[in-house]
Amino acid sequence: MDLLSALHSFVRVAATGSFSAVSRETGVSQPTISRHIALLETHYGTTLFARTTRSLTMTEDGRSLLPHAYEVLEILETAETVLGRRRASVSGLVRLGVTTAFGLCLSRRLGELLDRHPDLSVEIVMRDGFGDMVEEGLDLAVRVGEIAEGSLIARKLGLVQKWLVASPACLQRHHMPEHPRDLTDYPGVVYNYGTSWLDWNFERDGEESVIAPSAVYRANSSEAVLYAVEAGIGIGLLPAFQVREGVQAGRLVRLFPDWNIPALPFYAVHTGPRTLPLRTRTVMDFLIDISAELLSDTPSVPA
């Protein structure tokens, strides 16, 4: 049993959070995976994973070892590529954490990537809240807003534009607002990021208007907010790429298009190393391409 094999098992257990998952992924028996981890723990004189009958959690020493393990394996992978001893195809599993709205858009396009790389597989973990990437076993994740965690390596994908929208039925009941300040009299459908919701900010020709929406409905899922807005419950503020199709189809009406609503930065993040494995780099490049289309004012239509 060699140290490099043990390091490979370690990074995959860290990514998947499961010995059995790594066994299925690699075709190596689960007892062998367990021995790999035990070898590393003996070699370094520490515990890398806290184990219970129901969970497997990486320890602080495990977190410290992880970026170094990635770096060692990446150096080896690069050397094999240079010397021509590695297959040219992209292969393996990449676990990707995405927001709900982006994940649904991405799912419609993911076949393009998988068709190009039949040995690649992608697992999507989709939700709007952000968790610990290591504990969730994520290779990549997308984040909206500024990145607070200094341990994450971030690649900016663009800016998420936001549109204020309502259904025709809602506007027929309440008439069309003439100024953002009129929105305080309208039912608001609020996309709630956490324990409190954000104000709606508008700017035009130096004039600023900050509105605290009157929320008749709140949800921590952008999809739930979209359905509620389309159902006519009230007015909502959502990512442009999520509502553009509804506006074009006439299910939604965009309000105040001549006012600027602050955009949010959009990132792809990972925990390291900076030089990603080929399979992860390939998914990252696909995210860059898809984001350039989704976040553009004039996105291309897939063939």
Side-chain angles (χ1 to χ4, degrees):
M1 190 184 305
D2 63 273
L3 196 59
L4 286 174
S5 296
L7 286 173
H8 183 268
S9 294
F10 167 67
V11 299
R12 294 315 302 156
V13 170
T16 63
S18 167
F19 287 6
S20 59
V22 177
S23 177
R24 291 192 299 270
E25 174 188 311
T26 62
V28 177
S29 70
Q30 187 171 332
T32 298
I33 301 296
S34 298
R35 286 196 295 272
H36 284 173
I37 302 305
L39 170 68
L40 289 177
E41 290 180 330
T42 300
H43 180 80
Y44 292 112
T46 189
T47 300
L48 300 176
F49 295 98
R51 306 165 177 84
T52 69
T53 56
R54 295 186 177 182
S55 66
L56 186 71
T57 305
M58 185 174 293
T59 64
E60 189 62 35
D61 283 342
R63 292 171 186 264
S64 297
L65 176 62
L66 186 60
H68 301 293
Y70 270 123
E71 186 173 0
V72 169
L73 294 174
E74 180 64 20
I75 290 172
L76 178 63
E77 183 174 298
T78 301
E80 290 179 346
T81 300
V82 171
L83 296 176
R85 292 200 296 263
R86 186 181 185 278
R87 290 187 303 131
S89 64
V90 177
S91 63
L93 171 68
V94 176
R95 299 190 79 240
L96 172 62
V98 294
T99 61
T100 305
F102 184 78
L104 292 174
C105 293
L106 178 65
S107 296
R108 299 188 187 104
R109 303 290 301 275
L110 201 56
E112 302 169 26
L113 176 67
L114 299 179
D115 286 345
R116 292 199 296 267
H117 305 288
D119 294 327
L120 176 70
S121 59
V122 179
E123 180 179 347
I124 298 293
V125 179
M126 189 162 58
R127 69 165 182 264
D128 289 351
F130 301 139
D132 186 292
M133 289 188 62
V134 174
E135 289 184 358
E136 295 183 12
L138 299 177
D139 300 296
L140 282 174
V142 298
R143 295 283 181 89
V144 181
E146 296 298 342
I147 306 300
E149 302 97 316
S151 60
L152 295 180
I153 299 171
R155 164 65 188 264
K156 191 172 183 179
L157 300 176
L159 292 171
V160 176
Q161 306 294 331
K162 295 186 289 184
W163 285 6
L164 189 71
V165 292
S167 71
C170 175
L171 295 176
Q172 188 174 12
R173 289 198 312 272
H174 299 280
H175 69 79
M176 181 75 74
E178 297 180 359
H179 191 279
R181 60 174 170 265
D182 298 336
L183 293 172
T184 55
D185 298 326
Y186 284 73
V189 180
V190 175
Y191 180 22
N192 184 13
Y193 294 90
T195 57
S196 61
W197 64 83
L198 302 176
D199 290 337
W200 294 348
N201 296 271
F202 303 85
E203 187 275 332
R204 183 182 65 179
D205 299 330
E207 179 187 0
E208 294 186 5
S209 187
V210 180
I211 304 300
S214 176
V216 298
Y217 177 86
R218 287 179 283 164
N220 63 354
S221 163
S222 61
E223 279 299 295
V225 170
L226 175 59
Y227 289 159
V229 172
E230 288 186 340
I233 291 177
I235 295 174
L237 185 66
L238 286 164
F241 68 81
Q242 187 180 17
V243 298
R244 185 181 283 111
E245 181 182 344
V247 171
Q248 293 171 343
R251 297 191 305 272
L252 296 170
V253 176
R254 183 184 178 188
L255 306 179
F256 307 121
D258 55 337
W259 286 75
N260 176 57
I261 300 173
L264 292 173
F266 192 57
Y267 296 93
V269 299
H270 60 93
T271 57
R274 290 190 176 275
T275 304
L276 293 170
L278 181 59
R279 61 181 177 276
T280 310
R281 178 72 248 181
T282 300
V283 175
M284 170 76 88
D285 290 341
F286 188 70
L287 290 179
I288 293 170
D289 292 341
I290 292 299
S291 297
E293 297 179 16
L294 287 179
L295 305 182
S296 169
D297 289 336
T298 54
S300 63
V301 178

